[in-house]
Amino acid sequence: MKKEKLLLWTLAAINFTHIVDFMILMPLGPQLMRIFEISPREFGLLVSSYTFAAGASSFLGAFVLDKYDRRSIMMWVFFGFFLGTIACALSPNYIILLTARIISGLFGGLTSALILSIIGDVIPDSRRGRAMGLVMAAFSVASVFGVPFGLFIASLSNWHAPFVFLAGLSGVIFWMIYKYIPSLTDHIVAKSNKPTPIQVIRRVTGNANQMRAITLTIMMMLGQFMIIPFLSPYMVANVGFTDMELTYIYMAGGAFTIFTSPWVGKMTDKYGKVKIFTIFMTLNVIPIAVITHLGATPIPYVLLISTMFFVTSNGRMVPASALITGTALPQNRGSFLSFNSAVQQIAAGMASFVAGLILAENINGELINFNIVGYIAIVFSLLCIPLIRRIKVVDVEAVTSIEETVDPKVIVEK
């Protein structure tokens, strides 16, 4: 159990770095829009470029992740992410920063699929909710420590400083990967049985259950990432927050989810993934509706709503990830989760890009049409509830074939 905990803490650290790298750009949005003199549309492209690149690399990763030792490929991927982070730290202008974000996304996107693959390989389904809760608590730590600290050092120096901090932290985590992630090769099949890229694609697209899981991922991302990238610019331009006061939002939301994320994982294992997901997804639409209609508002009220947004967003993600991970067999898990990660990143990128097209600035510098974005996000979120009820978890012990032609008789709903 000690080795398992060290493994999960290492995966959580990887997730923390990846999340901070992605999230830190959003609260830096007001500064970057001023410094580079860019519009909401150009800032939306800056955010979405990372996710589009991550989606592309995750798609290509689907053809190779199941062919190699999980530990070895994680080390190579994380080293590439480290180089991309350094490139962001050294970027002197918008175009070069955009290019650096693409590099970071190319490698950062693969870490998500690898983390889920390792959890799926090592942790049995009966304890997978708890494992997901621990690893996803990295989002909370990123919110309560990573992002505020990044903004703090940015205020003392400049916007480059958070990426310098992340590059140094990545060096420590690289050592943790080497030390605590064991060699994982049981998923590797004989060379003669390795599927071709076309077979990998057909295996996923021909599996109705996995396609429903991928559709769920798309709907969740559209319901969230039309809101998240523009939350900070909206709070500054419309609600009246200062750049430094933005840290309150992330600290409050992160502080609560540090405790709620593991709790949600335990509730997921106890009461079922679908039930817990339905509760938190239903609750999640409330803060979405309120946040997208805020004007000048007292800070305590904003923190109450934004914290509810963070807690419910994290609460729906824990059971959904546990369920989606269980729809694939170990031999095909890396390929499927890489596909799913690709779809997740592309959907998130499309959401932020489309939201950037809908939003505009008025003569006072305020963002308008955020309420329209909120309505669209709510519709996509609510559509996830009936969809998740149709997704099943594969009973690994009942399936003996490497080919994932899942028969309804050998799948059970958890």
Side-chain angles (χ1 to χ4, degrees), residues 304-342:
L304 177 65
I305 299 301
S306 62
T307 298
M308 183 180 179
F309 177 73
F310 276 107
V311 169
T312 54
S313 295
N314 181 265
R316 71 188 169 77
M317 199 67 188
V318 171
S321 297
L323 182 64
I324 291 170
T325 300
T327 61
L329 293 171
Q331 297 92 335
N332 316 121
R333 186 170 285 133
S335 297
F336 168 69
L337 290 176
S338 192
F339 262 113
N340 188 69
S341 179

Short mmCIF file of all heavy atoms in Angstrom, two decimals, residues 304-342:
data_model
loop_
_atom_site.label_atom_id
_atom_site.label_comp_id
_atom_site.label_asym_id
_atom_site.label_seq_id
_atom_site.Cartn_x
_atom_site.Cartn_y
_atom_site.Cartn_z
N LEU A 304 -18.50 32.86 -2.90
CA LEU A 304 -19.44 31.79 -2.60
C LEU A 304 -19.86 31.06 -3.88
O LEU A 304 -19.85 29.82 -3.92
CB LEU A 304 -20.68 32.38 -1.90
CG LEU A 304 -21.81 31.39 -1.59
CD1 LEU A 304 -21.35 30.35 -0.57
CD2 LEU A 304 -23.04 32.15 -1.07
N ILE A 305 -20.18 31.81 -4.91
CA ILE A 305 -20.62 31.21 -6.17
C ILE A 305 -19.48 30.52 -6.90
O ILE A 305 -19.62 29.41 -7.42
CB ILE A 305 -21.26 32.29 -7.08
CG1 ILE A 305 -22.47 32.91 -6.38
CG2 ILE A 305 -21.66 31.69 -8.42
CD1 ILE A 305 -23.55 31.92 -6.02
N SER A 306 -18.32 31.19 -6.95
CA SER A 306 -17.18 30.60 -7.67
C SER A 306 -16.69 29.34 -6.99
O SER A 306 -16.27 28.38 -7.65
CB SER A 306 -16.05 31.62 -7.81
OG SER A 306 -15.54 32.00 -6.53
N THR A 307 -16.73 29.31 -5.65
CA THR A 307 -16.32 28.11 -4.92
C THR A 307 -17.27 26.96 -5.21
O THR A 307 -16.84 25.81 -5.39
CB THR A 307 -16.27 28.38 -3.41
OG1 THR A 307 -15.31 29.41 -3.15
CG2 THR A 307 -15.89 27.13 -2.64
N MET A 308 -18.55 27.24 -5.27
CA MET A 308 -19.52 26.21 -5.64
C MET A 308 -19.24 25.69 -7.04
O MET A 308 -19.38 24.50 -7.33
CB MET A 308 -20.94 26.77 -5.55
CG MET A 308 -22.02 25.75 -5.84
SD MET A 308 -23.70 26.42 -5.72
CE MET A 308 -24.66 24.96 -6.15
N PHE A 309 -18.84 26.59 -7.93
CA PHE A 309 -18.50 26.20 -9.30
C PHE A 309 -17.32 25.23 -9.31
O PHE A 309 -17.35 24.19 -9.97
CB PHE A 309 -18.18 27.44 -10.13
CG PHE A 309 -17.74 27.16 -11.53
CD1 PHE A 309 -18.64 26.72 -12.48
CD2 PHE A 309 -16.41 27.32 -11.91
CE1 PHE A 309 -18.24 26.46 -13.79
CE2 PHE A 309 -16.00 27.06 -13.20
CZ PHE A 309 -16.92 26.63 -14.14
N PHE A 310 -16.26 25.56 -8.56
CA PHE A 310 -15.08 24.69 -8.49
C PHE A 310 -15.43 23.33 -7.89
O PHE A 310 -15.03 22.29 -8.41
CB PHE A 310 -13.98 25.35 -7.66
CG PHE A 310 -13.13 26.31 -8.44
CD1 PHE A 310 -13.26 27.68 -8.24
CD2 PHE A 310 -12.20 25.87 -9.35
CE1 PHE A 310 -12.48 28.58 -8.95
CE2 PHE A 310 -11.42 26.76 -10.06
CZ PHE A 310 -11.55 28.12 -9.87
N VAL A 311 -16.16 23.34 -6.77
CA VAL A 311 -16.47 22.09 -6.07
C VAL A 311 -17.33 21.17 -6.92
O VAL A 311 -17.07 19.97 -7.02
CB VAL A 311 -17.17 22.41 -4.72
CG1 VAL A 311 -17.75 21.13 -4.10
CG2 VAL A 311 -16.19 23.05 -3.76
N THR A 312 -18.37 21.71 -7.54
CA THR A 312 -19.26 20.87 -8.34
C THR A 312 -18.61 20.44 -9.65
O THR A 312 -18.87 19.33 -10.12
CB THR A 312 -20.58 21.61 -8.64
OG1 THR A 312 -20.30 22.89 -9.24
CG2 THR A 312 -21.37 21.83 -7.36
N SER A 313 -17.76 21.27 -10.22
CA SER A 313 -17.04 20.88 -11.43
C SER A 313 -16.11 19.70 -11.15
O SER A 313 -16.05 18.73 -11.91
CB SER A 313 -16.23 22.06 -11.99
OG SER A 313 -17.07 23.10 -12.42
N ASN A 314 -15.39 19.79 -10.04
CA ASN A 314 -14.50 18.70 -9.64
C ASN A 314 -15.31 17.47 -9.26
O ASN A 314 -14.93 16.33 -9.57
CB ASN A 314 -13.63 19.14 -8.47
CG ASN A 314 -12.67 18.06 -8.02
OD1 ASN A 314 -12.95 17.31 -7.10
ND2 ASN A 314 -11.51 17.98 -8.66
N GLY A 315 -16.45 17.68 -8.61
CA GLY A 315 -17.28 16.57 -8.17
C GLY A 315 -17.84 15.74 -9.30
O GLY A 315 -18.01 14.53 -9.17
N ARG A 316 -18.13 16.34 -10.43
CA ARG A 316 -18.65 15.57 -11.57
C ARG A 316 -17.51 14.87 -12.31
O ARG A 316 -17.72 13.82 -12.94
CB ARG A 316 -19.40 16.50 -12.53
CG ARG A 316 -18.45 17.40 -13.27
CD ARG A 316 -19.06 18.49 -14.10
NE ARG A 316 -18.00 19.38 -14.50
CZ ARG A 316 -17.12 19.11 -15.46
NH1 ARG A 316 -17.21 18.02 -16.15
NH2 ARG A 316 -16.16 19.95 -15.74
N MET A 317 -16.30 15.42 -12.23
CA MET A 317 -15.18 14.87 -12.99
C MET A 317 -14.65 13.58 -12.38
O MET A 317 -14.22 12.68 -13.12
CB MET A 317 -14.05 15.91 -13.05
CG MET A 317 -13.06 15.66 -14.17
SD MET A 317 -13.83 15.89 -15.79
CE MET A 317 -12.53 15.30 -16.87
N VAL A 318 -14.68 13.44 -11.06
CA VAL A 318 -14.14 12.25 -10.39
C VAL A 318 -14.91 10.99 -10.81
O VAL A 318 -14.30 10.03 -11.30
CB VAL A 318 -14.14 12.42 -8.86
CG1 VAL A 318 -13.81 11.09 -8.18
CG2 VAL A 318 -13.13 13.49 -8.45
N PRO A 319 -16.24 10.93 -10.65
CA PRO A 319 -16.95 9.72 -11.07
C PRO A 319 -16.92 9.49 -12.58
O PRO A 319 -16.88 8.34 -13.05
CB PRO A 319 -18.38 9.95 -10.57
CG PRO A 319 -18.51 11.42 -10.42
CD PRO A 319 -17.15 11.90 -10.03
N ALA A 320 -16.95 10.59 -13.36
CA ALA A 320 -16.91 10.43 -14.81
C ALA A 320 -15.60 9.80 -15.26
O ALA A 320 -15.59 8.89 -16.11
CB ALA A 320 -17.11 11.79 -15.49
N SER A 321 -14.48 10.25 -14.70
CA SER A 321 -13.18 9.70 -15.07
C SER A 321 -13.07 8.23 -14.67
O SER A 321 -12.51 7.40 -15.41
CB SER A 321 -12.06 10.51 -14.43
OG SER A 321 -12.06 11.84 -14.90
N ALA A 322 -13.56 7.90 -13.48
CA ALA A 322 -13.51 6.51 -13.02
C ALA A 322 -14.33 5.61 -13.94
O ALA A 322 -13.92 4.49 -14.26
CB ALA A 322 -14.03 6.42 -11.59
N LEU A 323 -15.49 6.10 -14.37
CA LEU A 323 -16.34 5.31 -15.26
C LEU A 323 -15.73 5.15 -16.64
O LEU A 323 -15.68 4.05 -17.20
CB LEU A 323 -17.71 5.98 -15.36
CG LEU A 323 -18.76 5.26 -16.22
CD1 LEU A 323 -19.10 3.91 -15.62
CD2 LEU A 323 -20.01 6.11 -16.37
N ILE A 324 -15.25 6.25 -17.21
CA ILE A 324 -14.67 6.22 -18.55
C ILE A 324 -13.44 5.32 -18.60
O ILE A 324 -13.24 4.56 -19.56
CB ILE A 324 -14.32 7.65 -19.02
CG1 ILE A 324 -15.61 8.45 -19.26
CG2 ILE A 324 -13.47 7.64 -20.29
CD1 ILE A 324 -15.39 9.93 -19.48
N THR A 325 -12.59 5.38 -17.56
CA THR A 325 -11.40 4.54 -17.51
C THR A 325 -11.77 3.06 -17.53
O THR A 325 -11.04 2.24 -18.11
CB THR A 325 -10.58 4.84 -16.24
OG1 THR A 325 -10.19 6.21 -16.26
CG2 THR A 325 -9.34 3.97 -16.16
N GLY A 326 -12.89 2.71 -16.94
CA GLY A 326 -13.31 1.31 -16.85
C GLY A 326 -13.98 0.77 -18.09
O GLY A 326 -14.41 -0.40 -18.11
N THR A 327 -14.09 1.55 -19.15
CA THR A 327 -14.75 1.06 -20.37
C THR A 327 -13.78 0.35 -21.31
O THR A 327 -14.19 -0.13 -22.36
CB THR A 327 -15.42 2.21 -21.14
OG1 THR A 327 -14.43 3.17 -21.53
CG2 THR A 327 -16.48 2.90 -20.28
N ALA A 328 -12.50 0.29 -20.95
CA ALA A 328 -11.50 -0.34 -21.82
C ALA A 328 -10.76 -1.45 -21.07
O ALA A 328 -10.59 -1.39 -19.86
CB ALA A 328 -10.51 0.70 -22.33
N LEU A 329 -10.31 -2.44 -21.81
CA LEU A 329 -9.47 -3.51 -21.27
C LEU A 329 -8.04 -3.02 -21.10
O LEU A 329 -7.62 -2.08 -21.78
CB LEU A 329 -9.50 -4.72 -22.20
CG LEU A 329 -10.84 -5.45 -22.33
CD1 LEU A 329 -10.76 -6.48 -23.44
CD2 LEU A 329 -11.21 -6.11 -21.02
N PRO A 330 -7.26 -3.65 -20.21
CA PRO A 330 -5.87 -3.22 -20.00
C PRO A 330 -5.05 -3.17 -21.28
O PRO A 330 -4.24 -2.26 -21.47
CB PRO A 330 -5.32 -4.27 -19.02
CG PRO A 330 -6.52 -4.74 -18.27
CD PRO A 330 -7.65 -4.72 -19.28
N GLN A 331 -5.26 -4.14 -22.18
CA GLN A 331 -4.46 -4.20 -23.41
C GLN A 331 -4.74 -3.03 -24.34
O GLN A 331 -3.91 -2.68 -25.19
CB GLN A 331 -4.76 -5.51 -24.17
CG GLN A 331 -4.38 -6.76 -23.40
CD GLN A 331 -5.55 -7.28 -22.58
OE1 GLN A 331 -6.45 -6.54 -22.21
NE2 GLN A 331 -5.51 -8.57 -22.27
N ASN A 332 -5.91 -2.43 -24.20
CA ASN A 332 -6.31 -1.35 -25.10
C ASN A 332 -6.53 -0.03 -24.35
O ASN A 332 -6.93 0.95 -24.96
CB ASN A 332 -7.62 -1.72 -25.81
CG ASN A 332 -7.62 -3.16 -26.31
OD1 ASN A 332 -8.48 -3.94 -25.93
ND2 ASN A 332 -6.66 -3.50 -27.13
N ARG A 333 -6.28 -0.02 -23.06
CA ARG A 333 -6.64 1.13 -22.23
C ARG A 333 -5.88 2.39 -22.64
O ARG A 333 -6.45 3.48 -22.72
CB ARG A 333 -6.39 0.82 -20.75
CG ARG A 333 -6.88 1.91 -19.81
CD ARG A 333 -6.82 1.43 -18.37
NE ARG A 333 -7.89 0.49 -18.08
CZ ARG A 333 -7.72 -0.67 -17.46
NH1 ARG A 333 -6.51 -1.04 -17.07
NH2 ARG A 333 -8.74 -1.45 -17.22
N GLY A 334 -4.58 2.26 -22.88
CA GLY A 334 -3.79 3.43 -23.26
C GLY A 334 -4.28 4.04 -24.55
O GLY A 334 -4.41 5.26 -24.67
N SER A 335 -4.58 3.18 -25.55
CA SER A 335 -5.07 3.67 -26.83
C SER A 335 -6.40 4.39 -26.67
O SER A 335 -6.58 5.51 -27.18
CB SER A 335 -5.24 2.51 -27.81
OG SER A 335 -4.00 1.88 -28.08
N PHE A 336 -7.33 3.77 -25.97
CA PHE A 336 -8.64 4.39 -25.79
C PHE A 336 -8.56 5.69 -25.01
O PHE A 336 -9.16 6.70 -25.40
CB PHE A 336 -9.59 3.42 -25.07
CG PHE A 336 -10.85 4.10 -24.60
CD1 PHE A 336 -11.79 4.56 -25.52
CD2 PHE A 336 -11.06 4.33 -23.25
CE1 PHE A 336 -12.94 5.21 -25.09
CE2 PHE A 336 -12.21 4.98 -22.82
CZ PHE A 336 -13.14 5.42 -23.75
N LEU A 337 -7.82 5.68 -23.90
CA LEU A 337 -7.73 6.89 -23.08
C LEU A 337 -6.98 8.00 -23.80
O LEU A 337 -7.23 9.18 -23.56
CB LEU A 337 -7.08 6.57 -21.74
CG LEU A 337 -7.94 5.71 -20.79
CD1 LEU A 337 -7.16 5.37 -19.53
CD2 LEU A 337 -9.24 6.42 -20.44
N SER A 338 -6.05 7.62 -24.67
CA SER A 338 -5.36 8.64 -25.46
C SER A 338 -6.34 9.26 -26.47
O SER A 338 -6.34 10.47 -26.68
CB SER A 338 -4.17 8.02 -26.19
OG SER A 338 -3.34 9.03 -26.72
N PHE A 339 -7.18 8.41 -27.08
CA PHE A 339 -8.24 8.93 -27.95
C PHE A 339 -9.15 9.87 -27.16
O PHE A 339 -9.48 10.97 -27.62
CB PHE A 339 -9.07 7.78 -28.51
CG PHE A 339 -8.68 7.38 -29.90
CD1 PHE A 339 -8.11 6.15 -30.12
CD2 PHE A 339 -8.89 8.22 -30.97
CE1 PHE A 339 -7.74 5.76 -31.40
CE2 PHE A 339 -8.53 7.84 -32.26
CZ PHE A 339 -7.95 6.60 -32.47
N ASN A 340 -9.54 9.40 -25.98
CA ASN A 340 -10.45 10.20 -25.16
C ASN A 340 -9.80 11.51 -24.75
O ASN A 340 -10.45 12.56 -24.73
CB ASN A 340 -10.84 9.40 -23.92
CG ASN A 340 -11.93 10.08 -23.12
OD1 ASN A 340 -13.07 10.18 -23.56
ND2 ASN A 340 -11.59 10.57 -21.94
N SER A 341 -8.50 11.46 -24.42
CA SER A 341 -7.78 12.68 -24.06
C SER A 341 -7.70 13.63 -25.25
O SER A 341 -7.84 14.86 -25.09
CB SER A 341 -6.36 12.34 -23.57
OG SER A 341 -5.64 13.50 -23.25
N ALA A 342 -7.49 13.07 -26.44
CA ALA A 342 -7.45 13.90 -27.66
C ALA A 342 -8.78 14.62 -27.85
O ALA A 342 -8.83 15.83 -28.10
CB ALA A 342 -7.13 13.03 -28.87
#
